Amino acid sequence: MSEKNFVATLLLAILLGGLGVHRFYVGKIGTGIVMLLTFGGLGIWTLIDIIMIAVGNFKDSSGLPIKP
């Protein structure tokens, strides 16, 4: 299980997901930059990430799941 906080990751995705801030937080710098440049894949990528975080399928840069 990841050391990153589930609630913090979910809130960052909801509030600043279009800028990829939640991906920077979990250590996924490369995809965070891509999200920043594409405004979260025009919102679609952000929505998918929010759902994945909420159901517990989102992983940090080490491949560890971020769960509540």
Side-chain angles (χ1 to χ4, degrees), residues 33-54:
I33 292 171
V34 174
M35 282 192 81
L36 181 64
L37 296 174
T38 63
F39 300 107
L42 298 175
I44 297 168
W45 193 359
T46 302
L47 181 61
I48 292 169
D49 276 358
I50 290 170
I51 293 168
M52 288 184 62
I53 294 167

Side-chain angles (χ1 to χ4, degrees), residues 13-41:
I14 292 169
L15 299 174
L16 300 169
L19 301 175
V21 174
H22 62 289
R23 289 204 171 242
F24 288 110
Y25 174 71
V26 298
K28 296 181 174 183
I29 307 301
T31 55
I33 292 171
V34 174
M35 282 192 81
L36 181 64
L37 296 174
T38 63
F39 300 107

Side-chain angles (χ1 to χ4, degrees), residues 20 40 55 67:
V55 298
K67 296 195 176 203

